Amino acid sequence: MPAQNKDDGGWKKFLWNSETKEFLGRTGGSWSKILLFYLIFYGFLAGIFIGTIQVLLLTLSDLKPTWQDRVAPPGLSHHPRLDKAELMFSPDSIETYLEYTKAMREFLSQYYVEKQDDAMQFEDCGDQPQDYKNRGDLESDIGVRKACRFSRAWLGPCSGIDDRHFGFGIGKPCVIVKLNRIVNFRPRPPTSNETIPEEAQHKVQPNVIPMHCTNKKEEDAGKLGEVKYYGIGEGFPLQYYPYYGKKLHGHYLQPLVAIQFVNITLNTEIRFECKVFGENIYYNDKDRYQGRFDVKIAFKS
């Protein structure tokens, strides 16, 4: 018992020593100094952190990403989006393409006419290819910019207006294609036919970025059948560019191109590739969506 009392007394004395006025081995003056030191130390660290963040924010723009090198411009994408880049269906079985057509209807819902009624946000830019629609510099004080209307009726039988199944139910499937949005990017049409396949050279015209789809493998030549294109100039018209970003162009609608395979070979897997052509459009074999994409399609009877 005496030893236990001695230990208890030692512990209590360390916690508070009434003789030396020490708490946990330190006097009030000592605690004040060490607390002041850590207050200044961590305050200095916090100041450095806040200062670097403020300097970083000064280099960023609210209107345009500082760095846009994640994907080299521009990316070409399609709807329906496919996890395995495979489009497998049978016209006699709605279950095989129901997911595709549902995704296409959801995507095109933003192109409904009634959603483009606001004259403060939208304007008519014509149904023929025209030059860039300049709405001022990105950093100017103009504020929110108008966007060109795009009627899904221009996509013909691939619009989903008359055929809710986008041709899948009759063996003539459609795919909707778009160029990805890049702030202040102006795609330039090709100025010559040197880099364009011979079968696509007739598509070169002013004020439009042409697109062409064909079989990717030589052994599939002729199996893809006729491919029809719908949209303004069967490509991406320049009047829809540039895009001013979400803050100034949150209601922006990209121009679309619809492709339809009207007599694809039955019971055969075919990989087709679509590419856009332009002076500042590039391709990379490591990136399947840089300026192009390819999809495997199989029409089973």
Side-chain angles (χ1 to χ4, degrees):
M1 290 297 294
Q4 183 177 358
N5 291 337
K6 183 177 180 181
D7 291 342
D8 290 346
W11 179 81
K12 293 180 179 179
K13 193 172 184 179
F14 173 74
L15 183 64
W16 170 248
N17 191 329
S18 59
E19 297 177 359
T20 58
K21 307 298 183 182
E22 293 180 350
F23 175 68
L24 296 178
R26 290 183 180 275
T27 62
S30 178
W31 276 114
S32 300
K33 291 177 182 179
I34 196 170
L35 290 176
L36 180 61
F37 168 78
Y38 280 111
L39 179 63
I40 295 174
F41 177 71
Y42 286 113
F44 179 72
L45 292 181
I48 292 178
F49 177 76
I50 294 173
T52 54
I53 294 298
Q54 291 299 321
V55 171
L56 175 63
L57 292 177
L58 291 176
T59 66
L60 302 179
S61 171
D62 291 337
L63 305 176
K64 180 181 178 181
T66 302
W67 305 104
Q68 299 189 84
D69 57 354
R70 183 176 180 181
V71 176
L76 188 69
S77 57
H78 56 85
H79 288 268
R81 294 182 179 179
L82 313 166
D83 293 336
K84 297 182 180 179
E86 295 179 350
L87 196 63
M88 309 293 184
F89 75 101
S90 172
D92 298 328
S93 176
I94 190 173
E95 291 80 11
T96 61
Y97 58 82
L98 188 61
E99 182 180 356
Y100 303 150
T101 57
K102 179 182 178 182
M104 295 174 74
R105 284 194 297 272
E106 289 177 353
F107 170 70
L108 288 176
S109 64
Q110 60 187 312
Y111 287 84
Y112 289 170
V113 174
E114 57 269 21
K115 293 187 178 182
Q116 304 178 47
D117 286 340
D118 192 344
M120 299 298 293
Q121 294 185 331
F122 295 96
E123 62 179 325
D124 291 327
C125 299
D127 58 359
Q128 296 298 320
Q130 299 178 25
D131 202 358
Y132 303 109
K133 198 75 173 180
N134 191 357
R135 296 182 173 88
D137 294 335
L138 185 67
E139 303 290 344
S140 66
D141 297 330
I142 298 176
V144 177
R145 318 299 165 87
K146 289 186 177 182
C148 289
R149 292 185 175 94
F150 189 93
S151 173
R152 62 184 181 130
W154 295 336
L155 302 179
C158 297
S159 65
I161 298 175
D162 297 324
D163 181 4
R164 286 179 52 83
H165 298 300
F166 300 93
F168 283 88
I170 57 175
K172 299 179 180 181
C174 295
V175 176
I176 309 296
V177 185
K178 64 182 178 68
L179 276 174
N180 291 346
R181 301 178 182 183
I182 300 177
V183 179
N184 217 27
F185 177 68
R186 296 171 183 251
R188 296 195 300 270
T191 56
S192 69
N193 289 334
E194 295 179 359
T195 59
I196 301 178
E198 182 177 354
E199 63 271 19
Q201 291 180 0
H202 69 281
K203 295 186 175 184
V204 176
Q205 57 179 305
N207 301 326
V208 68
I209 303 297
M211 185 183 74
H212 183 67
C213 301
T214 186
N215 52 284
K216 187 174 178 63
K217 299 179 180 179
E218 293 184 4
E219 57 265 29
D220 290 334
K223 297 179 181 179
L224 199 59
E226 182 184 3
V227 181
K228 290 187 176 181
Y229 301 81
Y230 300 95
I232 300 178
E234 299 182 1
F236 302 99
L238 300 187
Q239 65 258 39
Y240 286 83
Y241 302 95
Y243 165 58
Y244 286 88
K246 287 185 177 181
K247 188 171 183 179
L248 302 179
H249 236 170
H251 47 285
Y252 173 78
L253 295 175
Q254 295 150 280
L256 306 175
V257 177
I259 57 175
Q260 185 177 33
F261 305 97
V262 296
N263 55 352
I264 191 170
T265 302
L266 294 175
N267 302 317
T268 302
E269 292 186 356
I270 306 169
R271 184 165 290 278
F272 71 90
E273 180 181 63
C274 294
K275 298 177 69 173
V276 287
F277 302 94
E279 291 296 303
N280 56 348
I281 295 177
Y282 311 99
Y283 316 102
N284 189 329
D285 291 337
K286 296 181 180 179
D287 186 349
R288 62 186 302 175
Y289 289 104
Q290 184 177 332
R292 65 180 182 87
F293 68 83
D294 62 86
V295 173
K296 181 190 294 184
I297 186 171
F299 171 14
K300 301 179 181 180
S301 61

